Amino acid sequence: MKALLISLTVLGAIVAGMSAVRVRAAPPTVSIRTDTGTVTVRVEVARTPEAWSRGLMGRQTLAENTGMLFIFPDDTVRTFWMKDTVIPLDVIFVNASGAIVSIKTMAPCVNKPACPTYESGVPARYALEVAAGFAARNGVRPGDALTLPAGTR
């Protein structure tokens, strides 16, 4: 009986400890299907005007195959700029059906009175910012398909 009581006490402690453990969810990803294969990008998601405005400002680095996915409520021509962004970026514009419609490489713009803008040229619902050169290195081109994280449409 004493052994059973000790076993139950130990089991209770283990279960209590397990309930306190928090599992961190993996960051969301997007997949881009190109002529040469599929590339996956871990993303931070920007869904609000504040997040859209802040973007990747102030970041000193951006790891390979990581980026920021901007989710907008409608399809319109999008315009981005690089105010206070110190790392060069590619912005990949995507329409509501997931097709890449244009890609621009954006230069850093820090401590300048005016920064250039980068326009999608055609309506886009989403934009993916990644390190400059990502699109060329991975063969990403307009017409390729981007698969969004679950629940982002």
Side-chain angles (χ1 to χ4, degrees):
M1 183 67 168
K2 186 176 181 181
L4 178 60
L5 184 57
I6 291 171
S7 295
L8 289 175
T9 302
V10 169
L11 180 60
I14 290 171
V15 169
M18 288 175 62
S19 67
V21 173
R22 296 198 183 206
V23 177
R24 184 178 298 208
T29 62
V30 297
S31 297
I32 303 171
R33 197 169 51 253
T34 71
D35 289 341
T36 59
T38 300
V39 62
T40 301
V41 179
R42 288 177 301 148
V43 295
E44 296 175 49
V45 178
R47 295 178 184 270
T48 65
E50 295 80 17
W52 302 332
S53 181
R54 185 177 52 254
L56 294 171
M57 280 182 181
R59 302 283 177 96
Q60 299 300 310
T61 61
L62 187 62
E64 187 65 25
N65 292 6
T66 64
M68 180 169 279
L69 177 66
F70 295 77
I71 300 175
F72 300 105
D74 56 0
D75 299 295
T76 191
V77 173
R78 302 284 169 204
T79 303
F80 276 56
W81 69 338
M82 295 284 284
K83 181 179 182 342
D84 297 330
T85 305
V86 300
I87 50 177
L89 300 171
D90 285 348
V91 59
I92 301 169
F93 295 102
V94 181
N95 68 17
S97 64
I100 294 173
V101 294
S102 69
I103 302 168
K104 307 288 182 187
T105 298
M106 304 186 295
C109 185
V110 180
N111 298 324
K112 295 182 181 175
C115 297
T117 58
Y118 303 87
E119 189 175 279
S120 62
V122 296
R125 170 79 52 105
Y126 310 100
L128 174 63
E129 286 185 340
V130 290
F134 170 89
R137 282 190 303 279
N138 290 285
V140 176
R141 300 186 312 224
D144 289 345
L146 185 137
T147 303
L148 297 164
T152 57
R153 286 193 186 259

